[in-house]
Amino acid sequence: MAERRRLLIEPARLRDAQALGRLGLTAAEARYLKRVLRLRPGAEVHVVDGCGQLFGTRLTPEGELSLDRGADARLQTLAAPQPRLGLAVALMRRGMDEVMRMACELGVDHLQPLQAQRSVPQAECRPDRWGVILREAVEQCERLWAPELLPVLSSDDWWNGPSGQSLRLIAVTRDQASTDLSTLLAAHGAGAGCCWIAIGPEGGWTSDELRSAAEAGWCGVGLGDTILRSSTAAVAAATALCSWRRAVQRT
C-alpha cells in the first residue's frame, strides 16, 4: 500500500485556501514535504482539518499545495466519534510526551493535564511541545478528528469541570471496593456524552483529592492487579476506553 502523506491544517486557513484553490505552506511544512518526505512537484498530499474532513491536494512547482474549490476537494467527511473520550492525567516527572502521543494514536478526544497535589516540582509541563506532538500524531495515525488539549488545571479546580452527564471515572489503587475499569465499561451503555478517566501522579491521589472527586460524582475504578506507573496507567486506561467505544459502536 502506498504511503499516505498528510498535513494537519487549521480549518480557517483551509477555508481560505479553498477559495483561492491553493494553500501556501509555512517554512516548517515545506521543509517536511520536500526534505523529510522528499516529495516532488505533482506529488499527492492529503490534508486533514482536524474536524472530520480530508482533502486531496498536489504539490506545485511553486512550493504550494493546489486543491479544488468547494466540496470537490473533499475526499472524506467523518462525523465525530461518539461517545467522546477524555483523559485527565496528573503531571509526571517523565512520560507526558509519550502519553500525549499514544493517547492521540489510540483515539482519545480530550486531554486534560492536571497539577495534582503530589505532582513533583520536576514534573513535565510543556503545553507547546504537547501541541506539536499531537499535530504530528494526528498526521501519522490518520485521524480525521484532532484531540483537544485543554489548559493545565489544578486537581481542585477539575473535579467539577466535566458535565454532570458525563461518565466520570478516577483510577485508584489498593481499593478493594473499586470496580475494574473494563468490567464497569462493559456494563455501561453509550448514553454518556463523554467518558472521562483521571490518572494520578507517581505518588498517587491524596485523601483530600479522592474525597473531593467522590463528592463531585467521580467513581473509583481499578486498572488491574499490579501498581502501574502513571504513564502506563494512562495508556492502559486510554486503551480500555477506546476498545469499549469500538464495541459500543458495533452494537
Side-chain angles (χ1 to χ4, degrees):
M1 181 179 294
E3 179 184 4
R4 296 181 178 179
R5 297 94 163 213
R6 291 197 176 192
L7 283 180
L8 175 60
I9 303 295
E10 293 78 7
R13 185 178 161 206
L14 197 49
R15 285 193 295 270
D16 293 340
Q18 282 184 271
L20 297 172
R22 66 181 186 277
L23 173 67
L25 299 174
T26 65
E29 291 164 349
R31 183 168 56 252
Y32 172 66
L33 294 181
K34 295 178 181 179
R35 296 186 181 180
V36 178
L37 297 182
R38 299 182 182 278
L39 300 184
R40 297 182 179 277
E44 184 179 20
V45 179
H46 286 175
V47 171
V48 59
D49 68 353
C51 297
Q53 296 190 99
L54 179 70
F55 299 82
T57 73
R58 290 196 178 275
L59 186 63
T60 70
E62 296 76 24
E64 299 179 322
L65 295 179
S66 65
L67 69 163
D68 294 331
R69 290 183 172 87
D72 292 339
R74 283 197 292 269
L75 299 178
Q76 185 179 357
T77 300
L78 183 69
Q82 297 294 333
R84 307 292 282 173
L85 303 178
L87 175 66
V89 58
L91 300 177
M92 61 191 78
R93 191 192 306 268
R94 289 185 298 273
M96 285 294 289
D97 289 2
E98 289 74 16
V99 167
M100 293 290 169
R101 176 180 59 80
M102 288 189 273
C104 177
E105 292 178 1
L106 288 166
V108 172
D109 303 297
H110 308 285
L111 291 159
Q112 175 63 69
L114 295 176
Q115 180 68 52
Q117 293 178 16
R118 287 180 177 156
S119 291
V120 297
Q122 301 87 354
E124 296 177 351
C125 186
R126 303 187 291 179
D128 290 343
R129 170 64 179 158
W130 299 336
V132 172
I133 288 172
L134 292 175
R135 170 179 291 275
E136 293 175 348
V138 168
E139 293 171 347
Q140 181 274 324
C141 73
E142 300 186 2
R143 287 184 64 159
L144 295 191
W145 284 88
E148 177 189 25
L149 176 61
L150 297 164
V152 179
L153 285 179
S154 71
S155 57
D156 292 338
D157 294 332
W158 167 243
W159 304 123
N160 288 307
S163 165
Q165 296 179 344
S166 300
L167 178 60
R168 294 171 291 176
L169 310 173
I170 179 172
V172 296
T173 58
R174 303 186 183 93
D175 184 350
Q176 299 298 321
S178 64
T179 304
D180 183 78
L181 172 60
S182 296
T183 302
L184 185 148
L185 291 174
H188 199 281
C194 186
C195 177
W196 279 97
I197 187 164
I199 305 296
E202 286 94 332
W205 303 110
T206 65
S207 57
D208 286 344
E209 286 173 318
L210 291 173
R211 181 170 53 254
S212 296
E215 291 173 353
W218 290 74
C219 175
V221 293
L223 297 177
D225 298 327
T226 57
I227 304 301
L228 305 177
R229 290 179 179 270
S230 295
S231 56
T232 306
V235 175
T239 301
L241 290 184
C242 294
S243 296
W244 165 70
R245 180 166 67 185
R246 287 195 298 272
V248 167
Q249 290 172 341
R250 289 195 293 266
T251 59

